[in-house]
DNA sequence: GTCAATAATATTGTATACAAGAACTACAGA
DNA sequence: TCTGTAGTTCTTGTATACAATATTATTGAC
């Protein structure tokens, strides 16, 4: 079941869905996929099974598997949960962080600042991801780390939209500094609150995301 | 994939694992299960796939699927995440609760009190579950509701241990009252804090759970 | 008697075959 | 032109067959 082939195929399909090769609503045809991957239908079906639980696709009996069309509401809900999970990571990180951990956080954050200075959005995107994943890890709770990373991954396509908001990179950077500071000083509630605000989608971010989702739908 | 048979089998297997028919570490033999359910190996494999992502079982290539032996550390981690998710539900519930919602919460809580008065642990367990699920729902975030319910379900076998702690039912009940009160008054942070403490495993609860896990392992 | 090597066995992973149900098309009638 | 129906085709869901690998048993040497 985690057999090499179906495992690889599952990862690949997930990646392709997230990066938009399969548009929302598209059907994942078993025979086409089988031909494409030079394999029988069986491993394809096993791979599709794996995607089901992740919420990326949905299945209608006797109809097939379709790429899930997440509604705007649903996406907002996921961001809200994301904010809460990140807040939890932040709280625990602040409670448990060592001097060394803080140092690593500062180092990654410096990478963000560097990317911002260069105006390199892609690099910032990468460094920003590393920054957040580091906070997940420093929560000291592996389970929380995995769950948070899972949702992070799930929201990937929508998060990218956010960065293109005018001035968002600079604001994001400022928020990072505050977060690092709170964690360094062991201020758990402050760290949680800052991360919740940092990740959450309110105000202008909210409208921007809504607009992007609408554009995405019509065009 | 959500085909009637493999779907039913997946749910059944999950239930059986959670209720302990398959001990942790046990192998889930495809042919035995196929015979038992009067079906070929194919639907069994599809059902096992579904269990993989939930973390209930793990798979070793060319070896088979085994019921996952969650370590004590892992269980503690899950409880910690549970506490955070419940806190999030509580916060959002408090922010969004209507008069009617609070009324329903009070009603279910009265059911808990009734069960406590009768000293009926099973009934309390049921009512307590309903109480918490209601809070999940009243968060107004379906995604959060589902994710929280999922973890709640996952922790079911371990939560049952907790209730047998001497005096735990009464204490749990007292905490419920405070939670309802906070939600009713829209005190988001208080509700969150109370729920985090209510669900979290610290102090005596911690030692009790650890002890139970050890007993469970040896005997 | 113990260990190692090899053969036998069993179990998973994949392919293919078949059955049941859904979607689509063609055609008749209004 | 639109609608309803019957038949065809296509796709999924399940069973079975086969291949590859892991496990176990057996045999032989020391």
């Amino acid at each position: 079941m985690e057999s090499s082939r179906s495992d690889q195929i599952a990862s690949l399909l997930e990646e392709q869905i997230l990066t938009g090769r399969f548009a929302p609503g598209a059907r994942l045809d078993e025979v086409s996929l089988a031909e494409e991957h030079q394999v029988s239908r069986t491993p394809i079906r096993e791979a599709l099974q794996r995607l089901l639980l992740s919420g990326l696709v949905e299945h209608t009996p006797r109809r097939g598997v379709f790429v899930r069309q997440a509604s705007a509401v649903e996406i907002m809900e996921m961001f809200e949960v994301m904010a809460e999970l990140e807040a939890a990571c932040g709280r625990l990180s602040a409670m448990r962080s060592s001097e060394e951990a803080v140092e690593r956080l500062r180092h990654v954050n410096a990478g963000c600042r560097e990317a911002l200075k260069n105006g390199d959005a892609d690099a910032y995107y990468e460094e920003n991801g590393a920054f957040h994943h580091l906070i997940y890890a420093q929560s000291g709770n592996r389970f929380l780390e995995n769950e948070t990373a899972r949702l992070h991954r799930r929201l990937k396509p929508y998060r990218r939209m956010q960065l293109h908001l005018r001035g968002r990179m600079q604001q994001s950077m400022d928020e990072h500094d505050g977060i690092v500071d709170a964690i360094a000083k062991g201020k758990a509630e402050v760290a949680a609150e800052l991360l919740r605000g940092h990740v959450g989608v309110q105000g202008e971010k909210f409208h921007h995301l809504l607009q992007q989702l609408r554009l995405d739908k019509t065009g």
Side-chain angles (χ1 to χ4, degrees), chain A:
Chain A
M1 353 230 97
E2 196 183 322
S3 56
S4 16
R5 280 285 155 52
S6 68
D7 186 28
Q8 292 171 2
I9 294 172
S11 309
L12 193 66
L13 284 179
E14 186 184 0
E15 193 59 32
Q16 290 182 327
I17 290 173
L18 288 176
T19 56
R21 181 193 144 180
F22 297 104
R27 189 166 73 90
L28 296 175
D29 184 44
E30 295 180 0
V31 293
S32 312
L33 291 172
E35 285 174 11
E36 179 181 336
H37 293 280
Q38 300 280 1
V39 91
S40 89
R41 271 176 56 222
T42 312
I44 298 292
R45 287 177 64 86
E46 305 214 334
L48 292 179
Q49 288 281 355
R50 302 262 291 275
L51 296 183
L52 264 181
L53 270 282
S54 74
L56 269 178
V57 301
E58 64 189 341
H59 172 259
T60 333
R62 290 267 166 210
R63 294 272 335 268
V65 175
F66 298 84
V67 176
R68 189 107 179 286
Q69 174 81 276
S71 70
V73 170
E74 211 169 334
I75 292 165
M76 296 297 173
E77 289 179 349
M78 288 194 281
F79 269 108
E80 193 167 67
V81 174
M82 191 73 221
E84 293 290 345
L85 286 177
E86 294 243 7
C89 290
R91 174 184 300 108
L92 297 177
S93 287
M95 287 164 58
R96 298 165 181 174
S97 76
S98 64
E99 191 55 52
E100 182 206 343
V102 171
E103 205 39 60
R104 285 203 292 167
L105 212 50
R106 286 215 171 89
H107 182 259
V108 175
N109 200 29
C112 292
R113 195 175 292 115
E114 184 69 19
L116 171 66
K117 202 190 297 178
N118 302 338
D120 187 340
D122 284 339
Y124 186 83
Y125 182 82
E126 288 300 323
E127 293 290 337
N128 182 56
F131 178 78
H132 284 272
H133 277 280
L134 194 52
I135 295 181
Y136 309 162
Q138 292 186 359
S139 73
N141 184 324
R142 277 289 178 78
F143 185 76
L144 177 60
E145 178 184 351
N146 290 335
E147 291 293 303
T148 311
R150 199 168 59 93
L151 187 54
H152 184 94
R153 186 173 167 74
R154 180 100 170 71
L155 285 172
K156 188 176 176 182
Y158 310 107
R159 197 171 325 98
R160 197 136 207 164
M161 295 177 180
Q162 296 278 7
L163 269 187
H164 297 136
L165 219 178
R166 184 168 27 89
R168 177 63 193 139
M169 266 169 59
Q170 179 64 56
Q171 187 194 344
S172 171
M173 193 65 237
D174 294 343
E175 291 169 358
H176 275 203
D177 291 341
I179 291 162
V180 173
D181 192 55
I183 291 176
K185 290 179 179 163
K187 295 181 176 176
E189 286 311 317
V190 176
E193 195 61 47
L194 288 177
L195 269 162
R196 190 178 293 123
H198 180 61
V199 175
V201 177
Q202 310 103 353
E204 202 180 344
K205 276 199 281 181
F206 175 83
H207 294 293
H208 181 73
L209 181 56
L210 256 189
Q211 188 184 358
Q212 291 295 320
L213 289 173
R214 283 207 201 93
L215 287 174
D216 205 48
K217 216 168 192 172
T218 57

